[in-house]
Amino acid sequence: MKAQRFYQYAVAKYPQSTARIARALVYYRQGRVTQLAPNRYTVRGSHTYDVDLETHTCTCIDAVEGKAPQVALTATGQLVYGCKHWFAAIMARIGLE
């Protein structure tokens, strides 16, 4: 139930990222997210990507090249790109199931 509520919240807040959020939920439910440290995760998609929720970064091409939609701007002015790996790491962090 928590997963469905988060999905609905995220899609409402970031409608441009609906497909990415849906795929992130699949990755999360399939156990493809591994926590390495309090804010660091790996997410296995077509490759394995590193996500750091403290620095708001992911090593995937969508995040590195800014192809994923911008979902936030940090207090220091850093753009946060909402790739599916980033959403999957957030789901793991808050423990949706």
Side-chain angles (χ1 to χ4, degrees):
M1 184 58 114
K2 286 182 182 180
Q4 189 60 35
R5 281 196 306 250
F6 176 80
Y7 174 81
Q8 291 170 344
Y9 163 81
V11 166
K13 185 164 176 94
Y14 309 110
Q16 74 279 21
S17 296
T18 299
R20 285 178 170 88
I21 297 165
R23 191 69 184 147
L25 184 58
V26 169
Y27 287 171
Y28 173 74
R29 285 185 168 161
Q30 290 179 344
R32 294 177 174 220
V33 184
T34 303
Q35 185 175 23
L36 303 175
N39 290 308
R40 294 193 56 226
Y41 297 82
T42 60
V43 180
R44 290 183 330 274
S46 56
H47 300 284
T48 299
Y49 300 101
D50 296 320
V51 179
D52 188 323
L53 295 178
E54 186 173 345
T55 61
H56 310 287
T57 57
C58 177
T59 57
C60 77
I61 196 80
D62 280 356
V64 170
E65 293 187 0
K67 294 179 180 178
Q70 178 186 342
V71 295
L73 181 66
T74 67
T76 61
Q78 177 186 357
L79 297 175
V80 178
Y81 295 100
C83 67
K84 58 189 166 233
H85 314 103
W86 183 79
F87 280 109
I90 288 180
M91 291 175 189
R93 182 177 184 180
I94 62 177
L96 293 180
E97 307 287 62

